[in-house]
Amino acid sequence: MSTPATKTTRTRRTVKGIAAAAAAAAERTAPLANRIRSISFVIVAMSRLRRESSRQSVITVELIQFIIQYRAKETQEKKKRRLADEDDELSEVQPDAVPPEVREWLASTFTRQMATTRIRSDEKPRFRSVAHAIRAGIFVDRIYRRVSSSTLMQFPPDVVKLLKNLDEWTFDVFALTEAASGQVIKYVAYDLLNRYGAMHKFKISPGVLETFLNRVEEGYCRFRNPYHNNLHAVDVMHTMHYCLCNTGLMNWLTDLEIFASLLAALLHDFEHTGTTNNFHVMSGSETALLYNDRAVLENHHVSASFRLMKEDEANILSHLSRDEYKELRTLIIDMVLATDMTYHFQQLKIMRSLLTLQEPTIDKSKALSLVLHCCDISHPAKHWDVHHRWTMLLLEEFFRQGDLEKELGLPFSPLCDRKSTLVAESQIGFIDFIVDPSMSIMSEMLEHILTPIGPAIKAKPASVPEENPDHDMDDSKKNASCSMTRKSLTGAKFTITKPWLACLSENKKIWKEQAIKDAEARALAAAAEAAAEAEAETEAKPAGEAAADEPKDAAAAESAAAN
């Protein structure tokens, strides 16, 4: 026969067993937030069981199972109710709650932010559904309505419209500049850093980022260069974004490496003087003296950029750890210094040699440096209208340097003489010997490093839904996304889309046609000039010589008549 003490001991053991079983079940069936609620439930259950144990000496297994199953079911029901509430909230958001362009931009921004969350190499990829993006959009709609005036940078509707094409190779920065009142860096860089989640991941406050971007824009506009200005910075940053997003390169990189790549593209020509390294060396400028004639401008771009980021009001790196800062700084320095054209052939030779190895191992710094270099010289690989405009701006910058060289008594640098530069021929040579080989090697490199992870290049979140496969989005929202996932490929080489191939071929064809026309025009001009010179010589002859020539001419005429 059991004594009261024995019953109490047995009851305590039973209660402890129930607590352990319920806690284990809660851990298996609920996420962290629900586990906390489950533990609270267990504590309440324990107190009830203690009270029950004072009246009963036996607690059945059926009672324990009932408690566990009830709690698990309750958790699932709460989750369903929460999701249903959010879906109801979506239906309540009226189209005119915020401007439709702003709403679409915000939704696409958050879609990208989630899709670009880095996946460690030892983790399995997880799909992000359309429902997540929509729910995020609702949440941001509320924020936009309440606090946009004080915290979030506002985007003009026309700018938002144009930024919809930011994921496309055909994005035209010239069309954006008018809508953005010339502040293209401010809007494009802010948008891209937000899309990749850099603001959240590295704790960059919107105010500090806006100040930083304004200062960068001022630095690019300081010398009023026709080519190396804020538009060029945005063009290169957009091309880097295309390579990260549409080729799948982002899947190979960490958050910090993506952040460094975007910053390097943005800052690679910061405070460019509009003159070449050769001009700085030949003229003995202070910058050339400071950097000992080596990568003069590139060293200045990096140095001035990090000096700017040391200022409190523009320090977007303030929340990086010491190790993160060191890694980011090293990567940006490597990438920007590699944009010095004097390293071009060496850079391609090294990568080409690596790719010929049976099992090449490609360093991330070398890979990203080559990508940035290709982005920097990529305008001949863009559509003709954009490429032609960039070409004319670059030549105007070269010609201004040539004018300055003439003033200083220096020899003309290549392509800097207004009178003798052959525009079409120079562009054909640039495409054949510089741009085309660079893009080809970059493509081969990207396909090699991405084959093991094989990203599924589908820039539409609706293609990988998990929770709501029947949900559909309109075309504008589908096209505004750049979400990618990984999948394993066995026995197949991964290939990337190469929109630049068609552009290079078309542009080269047009330049060849232009070269023929230019050659004909030069021939006509030379003939006209020769005729003008001959006529001037004739008019300049003395009267006596002209009279002496008259009998000869008459005799020649008579001889011709006799024959």
Side-chain angles (χ1 to χ4, degrees):
M1 185 174 178
S2 300
T3 63
T6 306
K7 288 183 179 180
T8 302
T9 303
R10 188 182 301 153
T11 300
R12 286 177 179 171
R13 289 175 182 169
T14 305
V15 169
K16 288 180 180 177
I18 292 169
E27 186 171 349
R28 289 194 303 272
T29 60
L32 181 59
N34 289 331
R35 285 182 207 165
I36 297 171
R37 299 191 197 98
S38 299
I39 293 170
S40 301
F41 173 82
V42 170
I43 294 172
V44 174
M46 287 174 62
S47 64
R48 290 179 180 174
L49 287 170
R50 285 196 185 96
R51 290 196 299 272
E52 186 70 17
S53 66
S54 64
R55 296 189 295 270
Q56 299 179 9
S57 58
V58 179
I59 299 174
T60 63
V61 175
E62 288 77 12
L63 176 61
I64 298 171
Q65 290 176 345
F66 172 79
I67 293 170
I68 294 171
Q69 291 172 1
Y70 176 82
R71 183 53 185 161
K73 184 178 180 181
E74 185 181 38
T75 300
Q76 292 299 324
E77 290 296 325
K78 283 184 178 180
K79 183 178 179 180
K80 288 179 181 178
R81 284 197 299 272
R82 177 172 58 80
L83 295 179
D85 290 343
E86 290 177 349
D87 291 337
D88 291 341
E89 191 173 2
L90 172 62
S91 64
E92 291 172 2
V93 176
Q94 299 300 321
D96 58 349
V98 293
E101 295 85 4
V102 176
R103 178 188 171 93
E104 290 177 15
W105 172 74
L106 290 170
S108 66
T109 297
F110 269 72
T111 301
R112 288 170 177 80
Q113 180 170 325
M114 289 188 295
T116 54
T117 301
R118 300 309 316 130
I119 303 174
R120 296 184 180 275
S121 59
D122 56 348
E123 292 178 348
K124 293 182 179 179
R126 289 179 291 180
F127 291 102
R128 301 297 188 187
S129 70
V130 177
H132 283 135
I134 296 172
R135 286 195 290 274
I138 299 168
F139 176 68
V140 176
D141 281 344
R142 289 200 301 268
I143 294 177
Y144 180 82
R145 290 196 298 269
R146 295 174 186 173
V147 297
S148 63
S149 60
S150 59
T151 58
L152 299 179
M153 187 174 77
Q154 295 190 24
F155 281 53
D158 290 344
V159 171
V160 176
K161 256 184 213 178
L162 292 169
L163 287 179
K164 288 180 185 178
N165 299 321
L166 197 57
D167 297 340
E168 305 298 327
W169 184 254
T170 55
F171 176 73
D172 184 0
V173 67
F174 295 109
L176 179 66
T177 184
E178 185 175 347
S181 301
Q183 295 181 299
V184 288
I185 286 178
K186 175 181 177 181
Y187 295 116
V188 173
Y190 192 103
D191 185 26
L192 286 178
L193 291 174
N194 194 23
R195 289 188 190 203
Y196 284 92
M199 292 178 67
H200 171 71
K201 293 164 189 171
F202 302 108
K203 299 180 175 65
I204 306 171
S205 73
V208 170
L209 179 57
E210 189 173 352
T211 300
F212 167 73
L213 295 178
N214 285 333
R215 296 286 298 279
V216 171
E217 198 119 42
E218 289 170 6
Y220 269 103
C221 297
R222 178 171 300 173
F223 296 97
R224 301 181 181 277
N225 305 323
Y227 180 86
H228 288 103
N229 51 33
N230 56 338
L231 293 179
H232 172 65
V234 166
D235 183 56
V236 174
M237 192 179 191
H238 157 259
T239 311
M240 173 61 76
H241 159 63
Y242 183 92
C243 292
L244 289 172
C245 176
N246 289 3
T247 69
L249 179 60
M250 54 181 274
N251 290 279
W252 189 59
L253 304 172
T254 64
D255 293 328
L256 192 68
E257 289 162 350
I258 291 174
F259 186 33
S261 300
L262 292 171
L263 277 184
L266 173 64
L267 301 169
H268 81 284
D269 275 332
F270 182 56
E271 292 187 351
H272 198 290
T273 58
T275 51
T276 62
N277 282 340
N278 182 61
F279 177 83
H280 280 279
V281 173
M282 296 295 291
S283 63
S285 70
E286 288 295 324
T287 313
L289 292 173
L290 179 62
Y291 296 111
N292 300 313
D293 297 348
R294 297 181 182 179
V296 176
L297 286 168
E298 290 74 21
N299 273 300
H300 175 74
H301 303 325
V302 179
S303 177
S305 298
F306 277 96
R307 202 176 299 118
L308 170 61
M309 289 185 284
K310 282 290 186 183
E311 299 177 14
D312 291 339
E313 67 273 13
N315 189 358
I316 61 172
L317 309 179
S318 60
H319 292 285
L320 267 60
S321 67
R322 185 183 297 273
D323 289 341
E324 286 175 332
Y325 178 83
K326 183 179 179 181
E327 181 184 348
L328 178 135
R329 176 171 162 78
T330 300
L331 189 53
I332 289 178
I333 291 172
D334 289 347
M335 291 177 69
V336 175
L337 291 184
T339 61
D340 182 358
M341 284 299 295
T342 59
Y343 299 141
H344 169 79
F345 292 106
Q346 180 185 357
Q347 195 175 11
L348 280 132
K349 182 181 178 181
I350 291 172
M351 187 57 65
R352 191 182 286 112
S353 299
L354 281 173
L355 292 170
T356 58
L357 299 176
Q358 189 170 0
E359 294 183 1
T361 301
I362 299 175
D363 179 73
K364 284 187 176 180
S365 176
K366 284 186 175 62
L368 291 174
S369 295
L370 177 58
V371 171
L372 179 58
H373 175 53
C374 289
C375 293
D376 191 23
I377 60 174
S378 66
H379 74 80
K382 302 292 178 69
H383 285 201
W384 169 256
D385 291 342
V386 173
H387 162 53
H388 183 261
R389 191 164 178 179
W390 280 125
T391 300
M392 294 301 104
L393 291 171
L394 181 57
L395 287 171
E396 176 56 29
E397 189 168 298
F398 283 166
F399 294 157
R400 290 185 186 183
Q401 176 176 312
D403 296 342
L404 196 53
E405 288 170 335
K406 186 177 180 181
E407 244 179 70
L408 297 173
L410 298 173
F412 284 116
S413 296
L415 304 179
C416 291
D417 186 356
R418 290 181 184 273
K419 295 180 179 179
S420 63
T421 297
L422 303 178
V423 177
E425 285 82 351
S426 68
Q427 290 306 301
I428 293 169
F430 190 53
I431 290 172
D432 278 342
F433 300 108
I434 303 296
V435 183
D436 200 355
S438 300
M439 300 300 283
S440 176
I441 292 175
M442 182 191 76
S443 302
E444 187 179 349
M445 176 197 72
L446 290 175
E447 289 175 346
H448 168 76
I449 62 181
L450 295 175
T451 292
I453 59 177
I457 309 299
K458 299 214 180 208
K460 297 180 178 64
S463 62
V464 289
E466 189 176 66
E467 295 181 6
N468 191 0
D470 296 327
H471 187 87
D472 194 16
M473 298 178 70
D474 60 53
D475 291 338
S476 62
K477 289 183 181 178
K478 287 181 182 179
N479 294 334
S481 170
C482 174
S483 60
M484 288 175 294
T485 57
R486 298 181 187 179
K487 68 179 180 179
S488 175
L489 291 180
T490 55
K493 183 179 178 181
F494 174 70
T495 57
I496 62 173
T497 56
K498 306 177 184 73
W500 47 82
L501 292 179
C503 295
L504 284 170
S505 177
E506 180 65 19
N507 292 341
K508 186 176 173 182
K509 178 184 175 183
I510 295 174
W511 282 124
K512 283 184 175 179
E513 293 171 354
Q514 186 64 45
I516 294 171
K517 292 178 182 177
D518 290 348
E520 291 173 352
R522 286 195 300 272
L524 290 172
E529 187 178 352
E533 287 178 0
E535 186 177 350
E537 286 179 3
T538 302
E539 291 177 354
K541 283 183 180 180
E545 289 184 12
D549 288 339
E550 284 179 2
K552 295 180 182 178
D553 294 340
E558 288 177 3
S559 174
N563 292 332

